[in-house]
Structures are given as structure tokens and as C-alpha cells.
């Protein structure tokens, strides 16, 4: 069984998918991590991001594997754990360029489908309900107020820290600009753009608590099972 959760950056997909996986015994598939890994591999191997053929060729050659046993999914490429390397502002800035190349998306399709073979999976990304798993049992398109999305991202970056109002506002403004730039690129690309599937249920996560969103999705799952 597949549960597809799509939506823009910072809409809460990751947190919600993790909770669904934990409570329902599903495996979580973070598809953004794949594109981040390709982007990071380009910097590692010195591949020019404007060189589409070079990026696509590299993406096809990568041996990417997931370990979703722990609290956070670990991802490795060619035997190297890159879980931390792929979550940097530098990768945030370049990932949408790499993920817009059709050849890169094609190379990532079998990785995602193989992961979901013979198991229950909650997959989160941008094109899960439209392209990767169009037959998913439940499809959710998660949105949230842009400023709230930026605020959550900043707080995630500083767990347990007490930021001054001024520092928080400054970082929220910068993060908001980055999220909006990424959403624009992801929504306007030709291949598999960020889009809600026609049969997706839209949920605005800024109007509910995490538990409420998780409960809504669990209801959808139990109704369709
Ligand atoms: O979800 P996350 O923010 O980690 O995704 C990083 C980037 O990966 C997105 O901005 C988008 O460019 C790309 N992506 C994608 N398709 C997906 C998941 C992520 O193009 N299914």
C-alpha cells in the first residue's frame, strides 16, 4: 500500500510522513533526499550543473541506498553516508536545477519504485501522486502559509536554541525567499512539476496540529483500505 504526500518545501511533509510511518508501521520514503544526493554528487565530482548530459550521466551511475530503520532516514551514495551533506544551504540552492532535468528524474524513478516493492510505504515529494505512484491508495497535497513554512524551517535548524526576535525574523525572511524561489522552479519545470494530483486531498497544515493532520490521513487510509 502506498500513501503519497506531495507539497511545497517546508509544508510539513517530512514530519507528517515520519509520524504516519511510525504509527502505522510503514516505511518512509523521502524522495527529496534522492535529488539532493544527485546535487551533492555533482559538487563532489566537479560536474558543471549547466552540463545537463554530464549531470544525467552521473545520476545514472550513482548507487543510492536508504536505511530507514532509525528515527531519521540515512542515505548513502556509492557506500558513503551523505545524510548530513545533502541538507545544507548550498544544496538547497542547487537542487531544483538538477531535479528539473528529465534524465535525472528518469534515473530516480526505478530507485523509488524498487523501494516500494512488497511493502507499505509513505512517500513524500513533489510528483509522487502524479508520476511516481499514480495508483497510490491515498494522495495528500500538503500546503501551509509561506511565512509559517519558513518559520518552521528556521526552528528546525536551531533545535532547543533561544533566538532573539530580530535574529529569527532575519533568518525567516532569508528562508522564505529561498523556499519561494525553489517552489517557483519546482512548479514551473516541464517534467513532473510540483502539482496536486486530481484525486489528491488538500490539507493546509498551518490550520491544524501535527496530530490532527496525521489523524486526517489515517482516516483516509482506513476508509480506502
Ligand atoms: O523535499 P525536499 O525539500 O528535500 O526536496 C528538495 C528538492 O528536490 C525540491 O526542491 C525539488 O527540486 C526536488 N524534488 C523533486 N521531486 C520530488 C522530491 C523533491 O523534484 N519528488
Amino acid at each position: 500500500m502506498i500513501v503519497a504526500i506531495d507539497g511545497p518545501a517546508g509544508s510539513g511533509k517530512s514530519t507528517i510522513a515520519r509520524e504516519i510511518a511510525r504509527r502505522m508501521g510503514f516505511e518512509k520514503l523521502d524522495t527529496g533526499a534522492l535529488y539532493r544526493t544527485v546535487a551533492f554528487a555533482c559538487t563532489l565530482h566537479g560536474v558543471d550543473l549547466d552540463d545537463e548530459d554530464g549531470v544525467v550521466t552521473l545520476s545514472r551511475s550513482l548507487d543510492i541506498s536508504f536505511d530507514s530503520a532509525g528515527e531519521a532516514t540515512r542515505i548513502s551514495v556509492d557506500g558513503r553516508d551523505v545524510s548530513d551533506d545533502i541538507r545544507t544551504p548550498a544544496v538547497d540552492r542547487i537542487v531544483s536545477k538538477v531535479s528539473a532535468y528529465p534524465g535525472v528524474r528518469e534515473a530516480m524513478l526505478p530507485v523509488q519504485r524498487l523501494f516500494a516493492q512488497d511493502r507499505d510505504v509513505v512517500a513524500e515529494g513533489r510528483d509522487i501522486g502524479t508520476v511516481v505512484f499514480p495508483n497510490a491508495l491515498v494522495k495528500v497535497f500538503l500546503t501551509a502559509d509561506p511565512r509559517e513554512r519558513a518559520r518552521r524551517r528556521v526552528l528546525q535548524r536551531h533545535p532547543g536554541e533561544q533566538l532573539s526576535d530580530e535574529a529569527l525574523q532575519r533568518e525567516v525572511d532569508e528562508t522564505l525567499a529561498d523556499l519561494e524561489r525553489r517552489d517557483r522552479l519546482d512548479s514551473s519545470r516541464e517534467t513532473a512539476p510540483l502539482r496536486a494530483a486530481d484525486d489528491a486531498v488538500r490539507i493546509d497544515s498551518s490550520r491544524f496540529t501535527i496530530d490532527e493532520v496525521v489523524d486526517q490521513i489515517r482516516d483516509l487510509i482506513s476508509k480506502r483500505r
Side-chain angles (χ1 to χ4, degrees), residues 163-172:
L163 292 179
S164 70
D165 281 353
E166 198 186 317
L168 181 68
Q169 283 320 316
R170 194 172 343 106
E171 206 171 323
V172 167

Side-chain angles (χ1 to χ4, degrees), residues 31-32 35-36 95-96 99 105 125-127 182 186 189:
T31 63
Y35 297 98
R36 288 175 176 276
V95 63
S96 293
S99 72
R105 306 201 69 82
R126 306 293 188 287
D127 62 339
R182 225 150 34 94
D186 293 342
R189 69 179 173 228

Side-chain angles (χ1 to χ4, degrees), residues 31-49 55-56 58-59 62 64 75 77 82 85-101 104 108 182:
T31 63
L34 288 174
Y35 297 98
R36 288 175 176 276
T37 297
V38 175
F40 177 68
C42 288
T43 58
L44 206 61
H45 294 276
V47 174
D48 178 357
L49 297 178
V55 174
V56 171
L58 176 68
S59 72
L62 299 174
I64 300 178
I75 187 160
V77 62
V82 293
D85 302 306
I86 62 171
R87 308 224 171 264
T88 61
V91 172
D92 283 349
R93 276 193 293 276
I94 61 172
V95 63
S96 293
K97 174 149 196 144
V98 166
S99 72
Y101 290 142
V104 170
M108 293 305 118
R182 225 150 34 94

